[in-house]
Amino acid sequence: MPNQEKLPRAWVYARIPGDCAATRASYDACCRQAGDDGWTVVGGSIDYKGHGPLRDGYQSMLRSIKDGKVDCVYVSRMRQISGKERYLYAFFKCAMNHHVKIRTLEYSLPDRLQQYRLGKRIEAYAQRTGVPLPW
């Protein structure tokens, strides 16, 4: 039997405020994509309401990242994490410091981030600290 610790482990996160059906559909789509990509979904969280970084599902995801329980996070688009650059930057720093990859379903993350200052900040942080980029 294969060692469960060595399998690539993914976390799925979904949040579309005010639309429970779309949030659930987003979660299910991320689970399917993670499986198609060869990742084992070891956890996930959904936030149906709430804003800011104190959401229960978001905090659960961060704990799993910090505890080394996941290698990758799947989300449909980054606005599900946050619409604010400072929160996204903090999320990326956390993921990078724990060598966790980030996958989005709706667009190529590196291409999308290059359209914004956030992409340059993430690359500068990676270069300054020597941590790998999250994609």
Side-chain angles (χ1 to χ4, degrees):
M1 186 162 136
N3 182 350
Q4 293 293 327
E5 292 297 314
K6 298 296 180 189
L7 296 174
R9 304 161 300 164
W11 185 273
V12 173
Y13 179 76
R15 175 182 80 100
I16 303 174
D19 193 340
C20 293
T23 299
R24 188 66 208 183
S26 173
Y27 183 88
D28 293 343
C30 286
C31 285
R32 280 191 303 277
Q33 187 62 53
D36 290 348
D37 292 346
W39 295 88
T40 300
V41 177
V42 295
S45 54
I46 295 175
D47 285 315
Y48 290 107
K49 59 183 178 176
H51 299 283
L54 298 178
R55 300 180 308 268
D56 291 338
Y58 181 74
Q59 289 299 313
S60 179
M61 175 179 59
L62 289 181
R63 275 190 305 279
S64 291
I65 289 171
K66 291 175 182 177
D67 290 345
K69 295 179 180 177
V70 297
D71 305 304
C72 184
V73 170
Y74 275 80
V75 62
S76 286
R77 61 182 174 272
M78 292 314 300
R79 285 193 67 83
Q80 289 187 356
I81 300 294
S82 180
K84 296 186 186 261
E85 184 175 312
R86 71 175 184 238
Y87 295 142
L88 286 172
Y89 182 61
F91 171 72
F92 277 107
K93 281 178 28 180
C94 177
M96 292 163 64
N97 287 330
H98 293 88
H99 303 280
V100 171
K101 300 296 181 189
I102 310 298
R103 302 283 188 261
T104 54
L105 301 188
E106 293 187 2
Y107 43 75
S108 164
L109 193 55
D111 294 342
R112 180 68 175 238
L113 289 177
Q114 288 308 311
Q115 298 174 11
Y116 302 97
R117 186 177 68 148
L118 179 59
K120 290 176 183 47
R121 288 182 69 197
I122 291 168
E123 288 176 351
Y125 180 79
Q127 187 173 27
R128 186 171 64 250
T129 61
V131 296
L133 289 168
W135 41 78

